[in-house]
Amino acid sequence: MAHDEHGTPVGAAWARLFDRSIGSPAFIDDHTPELTVATTAHVRGRGLGTALLRQLQDAARRAGLQALALGVHRDNQPAQRLYRNEGWTTHTTAGEYDILVRYLH
């Protein structure tokens, strides 16, 4: 979680494992958590999403995870840039979403 100077939550990042029965389009396998990053509109473009993403990737690496996955809408160019700049690559597509993977080794 990220908070502003007043203690108000302005962003969060998390990853969780799903199994195939959940039906998430970003499901890759039973060992690859699906990542989510969210920030409030008024803090976007200030590096908070990048900081949250990097911290979560580092924590996942320290925990021994091999990869993370996520789904991002093809039209969401700021998010696409963020993930691509951090080394995420396309694994597959699902409807209007690119399913990206980031190998952590």
Side-chain angles (χ1 to χ4, degrees):
M1 290 278 307
H3 298 84
D4 68 12
E5 65 276 6
H6 306 290
T8 303
V10 293
W14 62 94
R16 61 182 267 199
L17 286 169
F18 290 97
D19 63 38
R20 189 174 304 279
S21 68
I22 298 298
S24 170
F27 177 84
I28 292 178
D29 60 42
D30 292 332
H31 307 288
T32 304
E34 185 176 335
L35 173 120
T36 301
V37 176
T39 60
T40 58
H42 74 282
V43 299
R44 289 188 189 132
R46 298 181 189 176
L48 179 60
T50 300
L52 289 167
L53 179 64
R54 287 177 180 170
Q55 288 177 5
L56 189 60
Q57 289 174 160
D58 289 345
R61 192 176 292 108
R62 286 191 307 274
L65 294 170
Q66 298 297 308
L68 294 167
L70 61 82
V72 62
H73 197 280
R74 264 186 232 108
D75 291 341
N76 187 344
Q77 292 307 308
Q80 289 276 356
R81 267 191 309 281
L82 166 64
Y83 299 126
R84 306 267 183 211
N85 287 342
E86 291 297 315
W88 290 72
T89 58
T90 302
H91 179 267
T92 189
T93 58
E96 297 177 2
Y97 289 84
D98 289 331
I99 308 307
L100 306 181
V101 65
R102 173 70 160 87
Y103 295 101
L104 302 172
H105 45 78

